[in-house]
Amino acid sequence: VRWDGNQLNQAGEQMYEARDWQKPFSVVVGTFDKCVAVIQQDDSTLISVRKQTEVYAREVGLIRQEVRNLNYCYTNGCEGKGIVDYGTVRIKLLTGYEKEE
């Protein structure tokens, strides 16, 4: 399933894709049986990686978010070797929750 994540605002088109429907996913607090991964960005070249993924669990919500913005070395013979020159990796994990009865 694909959709434009910006369809309700004035920003340019950004296609999202849902993957891994109803599959289990584990984080710090345990394993959730019915999850879906939402790929918000998945762009890779020889000199950079731009990825953003969120995983949602049924009846819980967001349990994992990962954002990667990396730039690889591309001078002095290091191009294509996957050596990170600079960038960031941010991973957020659900560490606790309470289920309402």
Side-chain angles (χ1 to χ4, degrees):
V1 174
R2 292 177 52 92
W3 70 96
D4 179 5
N6 288 334
Q7 67 187 2
L8 299 177
N9 63 45
Q10 299 299 316
E13 181 181 82
Q14 183 174 356
M15 296 307 294
Y16 290 4
E17 181 178 358
R19 295 183 190 163
D20 300 329
W21 286 94
Q22 304 292 322
K23 292 196 176 179
F25 195 88
S26 296
V27 292
V28 177
V29 295
T31 300
F32 297 90
D33 292 331
K34 296 181 178 179
C35 297
V36 61
V38 176
I39 312 304
Q40 296 178 345
Q41 186 175 20
D42 190 6
D43 302 321
S44 296
T45 68
L46 286 175
I47 61 170
S48 69
V49 171
R50 305 284 179 261
K51 293 187 177 192
Q52 185 168 338
T53 304
E54 294 178 343
V55 178
Y56 294 87
R58 184 176 182 158
E59 298 180 4
V60 176
L62 181 65
I63 61 171
R64 185 177 197 279
Q65 181 185 54
E66 180 174 347
V67 178
R68 290 182 179 265
N69 290 305
L70 302 175
N71 291 286
Y72 296 118
C73 177
Y74 61 92
T75 59
N76 301 324
C78 65
E79 56 276 315
K81 295 182 180 175
I83 299 170
V84 175
D85 192 18
Y86 62 93
T88 59
V89 176
R90 185 182 73 224
I91 299 173
K92 294 180 181 180
L93 300 171
L94 179 69
T95 58
Y97 74 103
E98 292 184 26
K99 194 170 184 176
E100 292 185 12
E101 307 259 343

